[in-house]
């Protein structure tokens, strides 16, 4: 297998960094996209030291949907067509704030659902006929059932799951592979405000599950695997039980 | 995205942290920055906080030191584990530069497949580069390679004054000497540049030789030293419950890398200790049984070729092995005694331990060489080093540790700060005559419980 071109959208996220590290020793070439150049630079050096054939960086606000197609075209010229894309940016948001301030709620949905969906559509549109393309998109177990504690974030992630299911269906029989990654709690700066318990997984663990799901061409991967069990139970709880639960 | 910076500017809630010995949990304001600029901002912020009434700071890596060098009660603890990026790796020259929170575990995963190894490694790979420098750690090849600091080319230091410095033997040499082995007190170590050692395979040949008594140890250890680099890695395990004519009996192990066998890296720990062992398991009988079984286990003696992981890091195979010492935790004694007195002093230490009947599971004895790093507070020196661990049984254990420490001091030796929990200010000054030079160069906003204990300096 020749070395891949890997595009990472949201490269500063802890999961994206761990994922890129695991891909680097194969000699992959990276294009790392994020908002903060000062953060992207040390990540790029790390990947090169670990064996990446190259690590370019590009600064962009990925939530700017108007600029998506222009940016992709520009990167295509400088970097080439990606073989693999990880979409890892996102925000946990704040449910209580979203209920009070509609701007915050709208932003959570626009970033978590709309912008990601637009990136996926744009990447598929730009793909040359017959060119293989793997898209790994970070969703969340929070998207599996609407819950009082985070249904704005959860709805964005849940909608994304439906969207990606449709993309997979539409591309059956083509060399396009889309995997929805559903992490549970991950020990990252994004969750530093939460009390951390034994259910928290390391970004390395999540990244290893992403790599394995790509290799096995899975459509959905829960990471770590026990979230599949937990969410299957939660999805199937009858309403009269679920409505009494504080989750 | 929630930014780290906004969180770091607030003083976080107190959370309890313990060191590897697990004797008590100590409250700290814990910060866990992901990028060096956040980390240095937190150090600078400690300055601002202090001018008010805020708590001072200490860097904390993976918490593998046993006592209180990594603790700063009620102060800030800057946890460095997320500052783990490589900055440059020259795989042809064998030089690596990385952020100081990178663990040796992760570093090995990068360098071993490309034919390099750590020039010096302690008995666990779960320590950070910054921790290895701050404690100037040593390994089984101390007689030939010296301590970790010998192989550090340069390092980055950020001080609460706002200075970003590069330290080496040529540049800021005084501060370099104070920082290698300096217990993290001179500033935040931000990155480390290290010379690596070439290997042709990741496997070693190990020869295990029976030693009937202490004289047997010194005989074989000195003979192996004279053979030079034929066997660069040596260590002995001693049955510290044996007394009388069997005093010092054990197994002497010497190893060397072999040229064939591939460059496979180690795997993750196989088993993890899920909970604290109950205290009643740790009595004289179980320790005697363990020591006997360890010594007489099948295939213990003779030669074999193994991966580096069981040779250098046998305890890493058991995640959280410190929990085997139960809820009350444990102490470790590690000392080094200069050569003329080494044999008699080790004998006295072992006799005192055996007489107290508080023996440990694994007692380690080895010789150290005279290749010194420039570290002013570095522990290693030419002589014999003995390490013993003891489950914490209260005053009796503390008393024994103090008796052992006095024997060491009388012989002109010293205790290892990374393991210590009992050293008095007098013992520290006697063992580390250069301590005042470090005190003068210390970052005023950085503090550790160890430093307060051995200098008597106020918070």
């Amino acid at each position: 297998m020749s070395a891949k071109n890997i595009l990472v959208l949201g490269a500063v996220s802890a999961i994206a960094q761990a994922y890129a590290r695991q891909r680097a020793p194969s000699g992959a070439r990276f294009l790392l996209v994020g908002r903060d150049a000062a953060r992207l630079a040390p990540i790029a050096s790390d990947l090169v030291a670990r064996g990446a054939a190259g690590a370019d960086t590009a600064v962009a606000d990925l939530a700017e949907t108007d600029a998506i197609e222009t940016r992709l075209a520009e990167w295509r010229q400088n970097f080439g067509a990606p073989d693999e894309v990880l979409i890892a940016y996102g925000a946990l948001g704040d449910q209580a704030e979203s209920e009070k301030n509609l701007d915050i709620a709208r932003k959570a949905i626009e970033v978590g659902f709309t912008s990601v969906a637009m990136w996926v559509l744009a990447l598929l549109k730009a793909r040359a006929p017959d060119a293989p393309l793997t898209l790994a998109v970070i969703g969340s177990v929070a998207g599996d059932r609407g819950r009082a504690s985070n249904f704005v974030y959860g709805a964005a992630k849940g909608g994304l799951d439906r969207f990606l299911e449709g993309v997979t269906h539409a591309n059956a029989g083509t060399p396009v592979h889309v995997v929805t990654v559903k992490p549970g709690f991950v020990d990252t700066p994004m969750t530093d405000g939460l009390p951390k318990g034994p259910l928290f997984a390391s970004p390395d663990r999540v990244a290893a599950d992403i790599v394995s799901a790509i290799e096995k061409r899975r459509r959905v991967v829960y990471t770590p695997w026990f979230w599949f069990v937990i969410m299957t139970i939660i999805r199937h709880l009858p309403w009269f039980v679920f409505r009494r639960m504080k989750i | 995205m929630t930014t780290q910076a906004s969180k770091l500017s607030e003083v976080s809630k107190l959370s309890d942290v313990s060191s590897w010995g697990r004797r008590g949990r100590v409250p700290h304001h814990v910060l866990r920055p992901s990028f060096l600029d956040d980390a240095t901002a937190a150090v600078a912020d400690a300055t601002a906080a202090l001018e008010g009434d805020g708590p001072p700071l200490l860097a904390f890596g993976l918490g593998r030191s046993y006592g209180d060098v990594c603790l700063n009660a009620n102060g800030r603890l800057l946890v460095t584990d997320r500052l783990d990026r490589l900055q440059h790796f020259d795989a042809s020259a064998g030089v690596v530069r990385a952020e100081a929170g990178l663990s040796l575990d992760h570093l090995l995963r990068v360098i071993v497949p490309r034919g390099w190894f750590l020039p010096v490694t302690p008995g666990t790979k779960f320590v950070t580069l910054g921790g290895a420098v701050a404690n100037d750690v040593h390994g089984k090849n101390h007689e030939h390679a010296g301590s970790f600091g010998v192989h550090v080319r340069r390092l980055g230091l950020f001080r609460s004054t706002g200075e970003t410095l590069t330290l080496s033997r040529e540049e800021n040499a005084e501060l370099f000497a104070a920082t290698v082995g300096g217990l993290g007190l001179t500033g935040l170590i931000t990155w480390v540049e290290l010379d690596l050692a070439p290997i042709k395979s990741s496997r070693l040949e190990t020869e295990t030789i029976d030693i009937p008594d202490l004289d047997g140890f010194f005989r074989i250890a000195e003979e192996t030293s004279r053979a030079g680099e034929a066997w660069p890695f040596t260590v002995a395990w001693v049955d510290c419950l044996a007394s009388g004519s069997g005093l010092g009996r054990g197994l002497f192990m010497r190893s060397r890398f072999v040229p064939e066998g591939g460059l496979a890296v180690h795997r993750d720990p196989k088993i993890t200790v899920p909970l604290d062992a109950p205290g009643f398991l740790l009595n004289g009988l179980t320790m005697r049984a363990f020591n006997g079984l360890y010594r007489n286990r099948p295939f213990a003696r003779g030669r074999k070729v193994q991966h580096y992981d069981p040779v250098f890091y046998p305890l890493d195979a058991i995640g959280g092995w410190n929990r085997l010492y139960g809820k009350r935790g444990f102490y470790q004694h590690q000392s080094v005694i200069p050569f003329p007195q080494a044999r008699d002093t080790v004998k006295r230490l072992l006799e005192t331990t055996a007489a107290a009947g508080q023996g440990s599971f694994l007692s380690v004895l080895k010789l150290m060489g005279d290749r010194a790093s420039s570290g002013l507070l570095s522990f290693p020196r030419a002589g014999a080093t003995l390490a013993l661990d003891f489950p914490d049984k209260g005053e009796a254990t503390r008393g024994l540790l103090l008796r052992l420490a006095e024997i060491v001091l009388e012989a002109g030796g010293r205790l290892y700060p990374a393991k210590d929990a009992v050293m008095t200010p007098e013992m520290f000054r006697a063992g580390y005559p250069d301590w005042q030079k470090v005190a003068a160069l210390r970052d005023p906003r950085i503090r550790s419980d160890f430093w307060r204990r051995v200098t008597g300096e106020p918070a």
Side-chain angles (χ1 to χ4, degrees), chain B residues 221-260:
Chain B
E222 280 159 12
E223 177 200 306
T224 305
S225 297
R226 279 194 299 273
E229 298 241 12
W231 296 100
F233 304 99
T234 66
V235 69
W237 163 81
V238 175
D239 179 353
C240 70
L241 294 170
S243 51
S245 64
L247 188 84
R249 79 174 172 214
L251 299 169
F252 182 84
M253 288 156 268
R254 53 189 188 186
S255 314
R256 55 189 168 205
F257 276 104
V258 294
E260 283 104 29

Side-chain angles (χ1 to χ4, degrees), chain A:
Chain A
M1 190 179 69
S2 64
K4 284 181 176 163
N5 273 354
I6 301 180
L7 170 64
V8 185
L9 302 179
V12 177
S13 98
I15 293 175
Q17 287 185 62
Y19 168 82
R21 279 183 172 184
Q22 292 186 19
R23 283 300 205 206
S26 68
R29 286 177 66 238
F30 291 92
L31 176 58
L32 308 172
V33 187
R35 277 182 305 194
D36 189 344
R39 301 270 148 114
L40 292 169
I43 297 170
S45 309
D46 180 55
L47 296 176
V48 171
R50 286 166 190 268
D56 296 349
T57 62
V59 175
D61 181 349
L62 295 161
E64 280 176 15
T65 45
D66 293 348
I68 288 176
E69 289 196 84
T70 350
R71 289 208 165 108
L72 266 187
E74 186 191 314
W75 296 341
R76 223 181 162 75
Q77 278 209 321
N78 303 333
F79 175 72
D83 304 298
E84 194 170 297
V85 184
L86 176 72
I87 305 185
Y89 69 95
L92 197 49
D94 183 315
Q95 176 67 29
E97 283 301 309
S98 292
E99 289 175 40
K100 278 185 253 160
N101 183 341
L102 299 195
D103 281 344
I104 290 180
R106 183 169 45 77
K107 201 164 173 234
I109 294 167
E110 279 175 3
V111 173
F113 176 76
T114 313
S115 75
V116 179
M118 295 308 110
W119 278 105
V120 171
L121 288 175
L123 284 158
L124 289 167
K125 189 177 154 195
R127 179 181 76 100
D130 303 324
L133 179 63
T134 297
L135 303 174
V137 184
I138 309 290
S140 171
V141 296
D144 276 18
R145 193 162 188 183
R147 288 177 295 119
S149 62
N150 68 350
F151 63 83
V152 174
Y153 174 79
K157 291 295 193 183
L160 193 58
D161 193 15
R162 284 290 81 75
F163 177 85
L164 296 170
E165 184 182 32
V167 170
T168 303
H169 191 207
N171 286 280
T174 72
V176 173
H177 171 221
V178 184
V179 55
T180 308
V181 181
K182 296 188 182 179
F185 296 126
V186 189
D187 180 13
T188 68
M190 190 169 96
T191 58
D192 274 352
L194 307 173
K196 298 201 173 175
L199 287 180
F200 276 81
S202 70
D204 278 342
R205 171 74 197 270
V206 172
D209 285 345
I210 298 173
V211 170
S212 142
I214 288 173
E215 274 156 15
K216 293 179 185 151
R217 300 188 72 83
R218 305 264 298 276
R219 196 196 79 72
V220 176
V221 60
Y222 287 83
T223 169
W225 62 270
F226 56 77
W227 284 99
F228 174 74
V229 181
I230 296 173
M231 295 320 294
T232 302
I233 295 168
I234 289 181
R235 271 202 318 275
H236 290 93
L237 283 174
W239 175 241
F240 70 88
V241 179
F242 188 68
R243 63 190 282 262
R244 284 160 217 258
M245 292 173 71
K246 290 246 183 294
I247 56 172

Side-chain angles (χ1 to χ4, degrees), chain B residues 4 6 13 40 112 183 251 277 314 387 425 449 457:
Chain B
Q4 189 66 14
S6 64
K13 280 186 305 205
T40 54
V112 167
L183 306 171
L251 299 169
D449 287 353
E457 276 180 27

Side-chain angles (χ1 to χ4, degrees), chain B residues 100 154-158 165-167 179 188-193:
Chain B
R154 301 186 300 161
L155 54 88
L157 190 75
F158 182 83
L165 301 170
T166 298
L167 316 182
T179 301
L188 178 71
I189 300 173
T190 48
W191 54 266
V192 176
E193 187 174 273

Side-chain angles (χ1 to χ4, degrees), chain B residues 358-382:
Chain B
Q358 290 204 45
S360 63
F361 283 103
L362 285 175
S363 311
V364 172
L365 181 58
K366 81 165 259 95
L367 298 186
M368 286 184 151
D370 53 13
R371 193 171 168 189
S373 76
S374 42
L376 294 170
L377 286 186
S378 288
F379 162 72
R381 59 179 294 181

